């Protein structure tokens, strides 16, 4: 069954029925203010921090799904419906939802009335705009009511959903005309409030949920809407909401619109009130004045489109022929993959329909990796992010695993000890320097753990990162794993027997022995870039030290990291092998096969290819590559969380999409274009539209996990949107398969293509210059570049234009 289609020219995904296999959402907002918005108008919004400054309430894990949103109700002479179908679910004559870049448009029509709801966050403002265009398509005059509805969150989403003994007494609002102000806790330490306003006079309002819904009614049966009568309620405690009622009459063919603004406003701490207990409204009035007319809204929407068009024009693929694979690749790489990279950069792993927005902060490792898919879009923001991340590093090179987006402070509750973390900073920084040529960033003074007086150049932070791994080695000379490495669930020092104890923060058995072969792979992967940076800065001693550490690490991997058919995964707290053919379960893991291949380890002696063949043979499925096999059937004290998941889910042999691109990149490194592409294609959303009923999550973005072969629901995806898969697949497709990769001195063009791709063109902005790169593969190669010319002149090595557009022709052969 089809639920929609890609509209590539408009850069939209068009959903044609509301009852999608799971809510299919979009993100509104690009910098400080964000909204999650589903295809049935569900979701919520927040300012900067989804936990601490949440404007509207959402009910996770509700039945029915997706409860809470920006809802608009029509009461057409007793016929009550929503243009977004939910929550009333009254059948619609027409429904369509178009998710675009930073905006969504839902159209619902019934009995001759068509309503188009456009939702977006204007660039530079801290508000959602919701415009409802109402059109009388019938031949009769129509008179009906339009109701709005949002439910306010009492700011801290965690308290909001738990601390009812307090919450039920603190809710406060003010109402002025069609502007409803939510000011809970403003009387004390908050100097911010929310406003929900409309651009026309209302015929009634409500601000108290119970008055509006009725105590025993759900969102699908609001008493006020059913009776077509607002109560004029002013919330005092309980649950503050914002609802307007408008009486609208339309002649046949006539249209009108109502514009709603749902915004966040702040006052200076010493200018909070305009009269005792009356909030100062200037910031809200200034905001509302910007969105009073359709022209203003259209202009803001246009500005948003231009914003995205400019951003995406920095990297565009033009598939040469009508190869249907390349059409799908381009819709991913040109639109949705880059878009998802922006979203993961902004959200980290905080707020999605699977991440509640109250849990995790910015991950040190996650954010460093998210950078990889984002850095070409807005390098200035990537720069700032790198410096923020580095400032949470400890003096010894280790790192807080997470930091809070508002304070930028390391999160003490989760703490440190994930021994892969430090290395990702090197990988993120190298990607930034290669993209921008901004070597100056390495001299930026950055503190350790935000402690004043400890500032050192960013390069010093990288030294400590590299040094941390190089000096924290176990009995086999391999890196100690600590709490966990990239795989948060491989907890080799945890030994937890207490229900509910966190596997990530508990170490009941600090073995000082458990080692990670994956960290060795990450170390060897980032070492060449790190060494290059040392060299170019003339740091000879560091260079020599690093080269020595690399030699030692390679030796350790050769002697203790190879299992005969693939790379081992780890050694546990007793020094026993994990990810070996000798193991009963968990014989082979995907991560080291990918990373060692990416690092080029074993490329010269056949081990890398052998490992990749083992991956294909033992871990591959129709829906992607599983994390390991055989799945763990029982809980194992020495392995931790990985063995808590039922077989086939999450890290226990799920298809954990994040590291599928590692394998694809390793295949490119080995020159096997067909297989690299097969790995890419199996998890790429645009290729999965036909199995969407099985896959369930949005067909335009990656999900973190697809159930593996051992699971009853093999092929079903979960955790869409906030996953490192977005960044890594962008790196894979853009830099390795299509093969256009920034180097320290310029662009490197080295494609690795599946059979049958005859050529393509990529336009890419690089260090301020537009490169128009034409790849000619009439020779039908998978890998191999015969010649490169820039503006007609033959070149070898990395390409750098000395200014002006660069026409690059690459002939494979
Ligand atoms: C999940 C991981 C996640 C970790 C940290 C685990 O339960 O399986 O994917 O990274 O929690 O929050
Ligand atoms: C999700 C986490 O955000 C990420 O940091 C981790 O690497 C993966 N899970 C694998 O455990």
């Amino acid at each position: 069954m089809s639920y929609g289609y890609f509209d590539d020219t408009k850069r939209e995904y068009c959903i044609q029925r509301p009852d999608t296999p799971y809510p299919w959402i979009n993100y509104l907002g690009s910098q400080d203010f964000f909204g999650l918005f589903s295809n049935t108008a569900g979701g919520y919004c927040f300012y900067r921090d989804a936990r601490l400054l949440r404007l509207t309430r959402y009910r996770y894990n509700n039945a029915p799904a997706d409860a809470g949103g920006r809802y608009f109700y029509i009461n057409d002479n007793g016929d009550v419906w929503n243009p977004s179908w939910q929550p009333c679910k009254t059948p619609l004559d027409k429904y369509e939802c178009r998710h675009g870049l930073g905006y969504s448009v839902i159209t619902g029509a019934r009995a001759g009335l068509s309503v188009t709801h456009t939702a977006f966050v204007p660039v530079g403002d801290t508000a959602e705009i919701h415009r409802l265009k109402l059109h009388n398509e019938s031949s009769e005059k129509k008179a009906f009511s339009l109701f709005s509805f949002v439910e306010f969150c009492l700011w801290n989403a965690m308290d909001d959903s738990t601390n009812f003994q307090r919450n039920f007494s603190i809710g406060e609002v003010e109402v002025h005309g069609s502007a409803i102000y939510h000011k809970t806790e403003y009387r004390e330490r908050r100097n911010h409030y929310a406003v929900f306003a409309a651009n026309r006079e209302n015929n009634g309002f409500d601000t108290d949920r119970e008055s509006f819904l009725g105590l025993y009614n759900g969102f699908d049966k609001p008493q006020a809407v059913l009776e077509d009568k607002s109560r004029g309620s002013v919330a005092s405690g309980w649950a503050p909401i914002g609802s307007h009622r408008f009486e609208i009459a339309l002649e046949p063919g006539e249209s009108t619109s109502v514009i709603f603004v749902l915004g966040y406003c702040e006052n200076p701490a010493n200018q909070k009130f305009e009269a005792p207990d009356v909030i100062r409204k200037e910031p809200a009035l200034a905001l509302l004045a910007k969105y009073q007319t359709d022209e203003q809204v259209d202009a803001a929407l246009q500005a948003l489109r231009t914003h995205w068009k400019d951003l995406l024009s920095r990297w565009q693929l033009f598939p040469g022929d009508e190869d249907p694979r390349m059409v799908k690749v381009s819709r991913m790489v040109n639109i949705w993959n880059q878009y998802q990279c922006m979203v993961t950069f902004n959200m980290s792993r905080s707020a999605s329909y699977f991440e509640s927005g109250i849990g995790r902060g910015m991950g040190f490792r996650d954010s460093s990796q998210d950078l990889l898919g984002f850095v070409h879009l807005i390098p200035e923001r990537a720069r700032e992010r790198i410096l923020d991340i580095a400032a949470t590093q400890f003096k010894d090179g280790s790192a807080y695993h997470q930091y809070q987006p508002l304070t930028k402070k390391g999160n003490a509750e989760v703490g440190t000890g994930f021994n892969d973390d430090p290395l990702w900073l090197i990988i993120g920084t190298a990607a930034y320097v290669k993209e921008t040529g901004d070597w100056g960033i390495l001299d930026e003074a950055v503190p350790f753990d935000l402690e004043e007086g400890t500032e050192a150049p960013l390069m010093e932070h990288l030294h400590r990162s590299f040094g941390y791994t190089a000096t924290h080695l176990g009995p086999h000379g391999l890196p100690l794993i600590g709490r966990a490495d990239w795989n948060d669930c491989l907890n080799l020092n945890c030994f937890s027997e207490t229900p509910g104890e966190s596997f990530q923060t508990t170490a009941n058995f600090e073995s000082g022995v458990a080692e990670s072969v994956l960290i060795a792979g990450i170390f060897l992967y980032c070492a060449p870039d790190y060494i290059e940076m040392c060299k170019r800065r003339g740091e000879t001693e560091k260079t020599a030290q690093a080269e020595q550490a690399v030699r030692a690490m390679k030796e350790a991997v050769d002697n203790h990291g190879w299992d005969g058919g693939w790379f081992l995964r780890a050694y546990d707290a007793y020094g026993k092998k994990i990810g070996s053919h000798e193991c009963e379960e968990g014989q082979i893991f995907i991560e080291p096969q990918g990373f060692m291949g990416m690092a080029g380890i074993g490329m010269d002696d056949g081990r890398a290819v052998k490992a990749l063949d083992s991956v294909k043979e033992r871990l591959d499925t129709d829906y992607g590559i599983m994390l390991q096999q055989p799945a763990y059937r029982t809980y194992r004290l020495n392995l931790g969380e990985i063995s808590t998941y039922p077989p086939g889910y999450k890290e226990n042999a799920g298809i954990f999409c994040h590291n599928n691109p590692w394998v694809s990149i390793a295949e490119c490194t080995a020159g096997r274009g067909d297989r690299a592409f097969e790995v890419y294609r199996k998890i790429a959303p645009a290729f999965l539209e036909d199995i969407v009923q099985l896959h369930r999550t949005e067909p335009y973005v990656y999900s973190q996990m697809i159930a593996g072969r051992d699971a009853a629901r093999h092929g079903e995806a979960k955790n869409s949107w906030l996953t490192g898969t977005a960044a890594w697949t962008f790196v894979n497709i853009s830099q390795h398969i299509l093969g256009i990769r920034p180097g320290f001195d310029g662009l490197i063009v080295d494609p690795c293509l599946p059979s049958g791709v005859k050529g393509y063109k990529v336009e890419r902005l690089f260090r301020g210059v537009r490169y128009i790169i034409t790849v000619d593969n009439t020779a039908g190669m998978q890998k191999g570049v015969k010649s490169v010319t820039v503006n007609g002149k033959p070149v070898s090595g990395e390409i750098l234009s000395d200014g002006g557009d660069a026409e690059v022709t690459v002939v494979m052969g």
Side-chain angles (χ1 to χ4, degrees), residues 349 360 365-366 369 401 485-489 650-651 656 658 704:
R349 305 296 170 266
R360 302 204 247 163
R365 156 205 309 144
D366 292 331
Q369 288 174 84
H401 193 48
D485 57 25
W486 171 88
N487 188 335
D488 278 322
C489 299
K650 295 281 286 181
E651 282 87 344
F656 216 91
H658 187 137
Q704 182 207 56

Side-chain angles (χ1 to χ4, degrees), residues 174-200:
E174 276 179 38
V175 184
H176 291 267
S178 284
I180 295 169
Y181 296 89
H182 174 232
K183 59 170 190 178
T184 300
E185 289 190 345
Y186 191 81
R187 61 171 53 252
E188 31 135 342
R189 290 154 297 175
R190 293 190 187 275
N191 55 359
H192 47 258
Y193 56 81
V195 60
F196 182 46
N199 69 337
R200 65 162 76 184

Side-chain angles (χ1 to χ4, degrees), residues 203-222:
N203 306 97
F205 67 87
D206 273 296
T207 66
D208 172 62
R209 190 182 70 205
E210 192 176 322
S211 309
F212 177 76
L213 291 180
L215 182 57
Y216 293 102
N217 288 12
F219 299 138
D220 58 334
K221 290 197 175 60

Side-chain angles (χ1 to χ4, degrees), residues 17 86 178 197 413 431 437 548 686:
R17 38 184 303 165
Q86 285 239 68
S178 284
E413 277 166 44
Q548 173 51 34

